[in-house]
Amino acid sequence: MASLPLSSLSSLTGKRLLLGVSAGIAAYKSALLVRLFKQAGCEVRVVMTEGAQAFITPLTLQALSGEPVRTSLLDPEAEAGMGHIELARWADAVVIAPATADLIARLVHGMADDLLTTLCLASEAPKLIAPAMNQAMWRHPATQRNVAQLASDSWQLIGPAAGDQACGDVGPGRMSEPEEIFNALAQHFSPPVKASGEISSRAPHIVITAGPTREALDPVRYLSNHSSGKMGYALAAEAAAQGARVTLISGPVNLPTPQGVARIDVETALQMHQEALRLAPQAALFIGCAAVADYRAESAAVHKIKKTDDNDTLTLTLIKNPDIIAEVAALPNSQRPFVVGFAAETQDVPRYANDKLQRKGLDMIVANDVSQQGLGFGSDDNAALLLWRATSGTEQLAAPPQTKKALATLIIRQALTLLPPQPSGALS
């Protein structure tokens, strides 16, 4: 097991953690998670669903935590003093790992049909959840809607990761490793990092869009672009490292979710538009880094479009997609976050970037020349020109070629420096 950073240990020392374990093969990892929390000096109490006990015994988790494991809402001894309410009040944080699709659905609908869901309703502590399920279940629209609702309800999602699964499938849905879950919780309790002494000690909620969108032509074909999502994911990772609460709205990419980031998966521009407008009013900073398709098919074919001998051409009718970043920038002042846009250009970058900054009403824009070989789409490196509004007009900063991680640090720090003071209660 990897050694734990001293900063993580100190941020969790003395914290009272309620660990929920639901019915999944990944429940065996919960034992490692309990051990990490105990090593950090936490008090840990475990609550298991009935199904979880088929994968790991309460006795194992009791031995590791040093506390009795609760498994039933109808425990006469514990409930003589309203034990479930006292347990909900006791916790400094609630962590559920693993969280099955069934449990996530029940949490979304506010059900209280077992001890774990009842505690979640009764607790006002921060809540973190690590999903674990088959890749098809994770990708199902119902699960994605439920996950999005949990993020909206202030749950912090951790993962899931992608890779080999117990069922033999390969894809997203694996529970994040115990060390990742531990680090996400430690980060939650760590004070935000200040950049150049100018960032508030309480960092804002940041919403970021990343990756491409896919616009269906028929059941097997779609319009898309070359965006890998690497820049947006680097921004999300850096924002989380600064101590912010980060929500990442992601198009289809092959990237793991950064630690401490709540991720909402979408496919189309309309889906991304819906999530962006739902979350933007809750944010202090909105960064539109996604490569959103400008157009979509007027209507996608129900069946695969066939190639025939007498059909040498194919005519498609495309209609314009909503301009997500412009609509966020046009929100009323009471709902409008500080808005950062991106511009991928192939020529005259400063002129086109400044035009987009003014035309769309943005506060800051990051422009890069995607015609440069080895930079931009799909690459690990990037170069950019940052432009932002100032009292004296427009100011700019040229960032030379560097890793996307390094560029993300520069962008996040610059945006947070420009962020106006937040009213009381606006930060999370």
Side-chain angles (χ1 to χ4, degrees):
M1 183 179 296
S3 59
L4 303 177
L6 291 178
S7 59
S8 296
L9 294 172
S10 61
S11 68
L12 289 178
T13 301
K15 297 298 181 185
R16 297 176 298 192
L17 306 182
L18 182 62
L19 176 64
V21 182
S22 65
I25 185 62
Y28 78 91
K29 295 182 181 179
S30 301
L32 301 176
L33 192 54
V34 172
R35 185 179 178 189
L36 288 175
F37 288 150
K38 293 295 289 183
Q39 286 178 344
C42 301
E43 294 183 58
V44 183
R45 296 185 183 178
V46 179
V47 174
M48 301 179 70
T49 66
E50 181 179 356
Q53 299 169 64
F55 295 92
I56 186 171
T57 67
L59 185 59
T60 298
L61 297 177
Q62 177 176 312
L64 291 169
S65 67
E67 298 283 350
V69 172
R70 296 284 303 275
T71 59
S72 174
L73 179 61
L74 304 176
D75 181 340
E77 182 177 345
E79 290 307 310
M82 298 297 287
H84 69 281
I85 297 298
E86 290 304 315
L87 190 54
R89 291 172 178 165
W90 171 85
D92 291 320
V94 177
V95 181
I96 301 181
T100 61
D102 172 73
L103 178 63
I104 289 171
R106 289 190 288 128
L107 290 172
V108 164
H109 291 285
M111 297 180 70
D113 54 352
D114 63 6
L115 179 58
L116 182 54
T117 52
T118 301
L119 288 170
C120 290
L121 276 183
S123 176
E124 296 180 344
K127 299 177 183 69
L128 299 87
I129 192 164
M133 65 196 73
N134 167 265
Q135 56 84 24
M137 296 173 69
W138 172 252
R139 289 187 169 117
H140 194 282
T143 302
Q144 291 302 308
R145 286 195 302 270
N146 290 338
V147 168
Q149 185 59 52
L150 282 185
S152 179
D153 292 343
S154 297
W155 283 79
Q156 180 176 329
L157 270 72
I158 308 169
D164 295 332
Q165 299 186 324
C167 61
D169 285 358
V170 177
R174 287 168 52 98
M175 188 177 96
S176 296
E177 294 304 315
E179 290 82 2
E180 294 179 41
I181 299 170
F182 174 89
N183 288 335
L185 184 67
Q187 189 177 82
H188 180 88
F189 285 109
S190 298
V193 178
K194 292 186 177 182
S196 306
E198 298 181 30
I199 298 174
S200 168
S201 61
R202 296 180 67 219
H205 178 199
I206 300 177
V207 175
I208 301 172
T209 66
T213 63
R214 291 176 177 175
E215 313 302 324
L217 299 177
D218 62 22
V220 298
R221 301 182 182 92
Y222 55 81
L223 296 173
S224 191
N225 56 63
H226 294 295
S227 174
S228 65
K230 290 180 179 178
M231 189 71 245
Y233 275 62
L235 288 166
E238 177 59 28
Q242 292 285 349
R245 182 164 67 91
V246 184
T247 304
L248 178 65
I249 307 171
S250 176
V253 298
N254 187 28
L255 296 171
T257 306
Q259 293 179 10
V261 173
R263 171 173 163 178
I264 299 173
D265 288 326
V266 298
E267 286 272 339
T268 68
L270 291 180
Q271 291 170 349
M272 185 171 285
H273 173 260
Q274 178 182 356
E275 293 299 328
L277 291 186
R278 181 177 66 86
L279 291 169
Q282 308 170 23
L285 174 59
F286 181 93
I287 303 178
C289 188
V292 184
D294 293 325
Y295 293 88
R296 68 183 186 276
E298 184 176 40
S299 60
V302 176
H303 301 290
K304 179 181 176 182
I305 300 171
K306 295 291 187 180
K307 180 176 67 175
T308 61
D309 292 338
D310 57 352
N311 186 6
D312 292 333
T313 63
L314 175 65
T315 301
L316 299 173
T317 301
L318 304 179
I319 58 176
K320 189 177 290 186
N321 274 322
D323 192 328
I324 296 173
I325 196 76
E327 290 193 28
V328 171
L331 287 170
N333 288 337
S334 61
Q335 300 180 354
R336 185 188 187 280
F338 186 89
V339 183
V340 178
F342 271 68
E345 305 293 348
T346 58
Q347 60 178 334
D348 204 353
V349 174
R351 180 167 69 88
Y352 284 117
N354 188 61
D355 174 70
K356 186 173 182 179
L357 177 75
Q358 306 300 332
R359 177 167 42 85
K360 299 198 175 188
L362 309 180
D363 300 298
M364 174 175 157
I365 193 165
V366 181
N368 58 296
D369 186 347
V370 294
S371 68
Q372 295 186 58
Q373 188 173 2
L375 300 177
F377 286 148
S379 171
D380 292 326
D381 298 322
N382 209 346
L385 178 68
L386 281 60
L387 294 90
W388 62 89
R389 297 177 185 273
T391 54
S392 58
T394 301
E395 296 186 8
Q396 66 181 50
L397 172 67
Q402 56 194 289
T403 65
K404 288 183 175 177
K405 182 179 184 299
L407 182 58
T409 300
L410 175 65
I411 294 169
I412 292 295
R413 290 187 174 180
Q414 183 61 41
L416 291 176
T417 299
L418 296 171
L419 199 65
Q422 300 298 301
S424 178
L427 303 184
S428 302

